Amino acid sequence: MHIALLIDCENASAESIHGVLSELVSRGTVNVRRAYGNWKNSPNWEAKLHPFAIQPVQQFAYTPGKNASDMSMTVDAMELLFTEKLDAFALMTSDSDFTPLAMKLLAKGKHVIGFGRSTTPESFRKACSVFIHTDT
């Protein structure tokens, strides 16, 4: 199985990345590894990118409080959906804003593996093929 891992660094714990990658490697090959955020605000994530071969995607907030990183991650997911031969998308986030993305990926025949805290809204958890808690 060919997998794309997309990480919402504003809504996911850097401490969980080893477990997430271990889970994904047991399912297939993680061909794409990208992390989205503003690295000026994400020192914990910045330290994890290089050791785990994760491509950083810098996203400044054009307007404070808006979802610039979420939009960047969603646009990349859609581009990957139509340009790469991927079987699954792993979305590491605890943000329900990604529910429509998970639903679209499923509708296009892709397996969606969600990773997030136990407080992740039910809408996102149920939109994924499988959801794995990162805090238990």
Side-chain angles (χ1 to χ4, degrees):
M1 180 182 305
H2 298 283
I3 305 167
L5 169 61
L6 306 179
I7 305 167
D8 171 14
C9 292
E10 295 170 356
N11 291 291
S13 170
E15 302 310 312
S16 304
I17 191 59
H18 184 270
V20 167
L21 283 170
S22 294
E23 176 67 28
L24 292 175
V25 167
S26 74
R27 296 170 182 262
T29 304
V30 186
N31 302 83
V32 177
R33 299 175 185 194
R34 295 182 188 166
Y36 300 81
N38 185 343
W39 305 118
K40 294 191 315 185
N41 302 332
S42 303
N44 292 338
W45 269 109
E46 191 172 359
K48 300 286 185 182
L49 300 176
H50 183 68
F52 290 100
I54 300 168
Q55 177 187 354
V57 179
Q58 169 65 41
Q59 184 59 61
F60 294 107
Y62 298 114
T63 303
K66 296 295 182 183
N67 296 329
S69 290
D70 293 1
M71 293 300 294
S72 181
M73 185 169 141
T74 300
V75 168
D76 278 2
M78 296 308 294
E79 180 181 18
L80 289 166
L81 174 64
F82 292 111
T83 62
E84 302 297 325
K85 293 182 191 239
L86 296 164
D87 304 301
F89 284 79
L91 305 177
M92 188 173 174
T93 183
S94 294
D95 186 346
S96 65
D97 289 347
F98 289 102
T99 301
L101 175 60
M103 292 170 62
K104 178 59 80 174
L105 294 170
L106 281 174
K108 291 295 182 184
K110 303 302 177 185
H111 189 70
V112 179
I113 307 162
F115 291 94
R117 294 183 297 269
S118 56
T119 58
T120 302
E122 187 175 5
S123 61
F124 178 70
R125 288 186 283 130
K126 293 208 174 198
C128 298
S129 305
V130 62
F131 184 84
I132 299 168
H133 293 166
T134 57
D135 56 357
T136 55

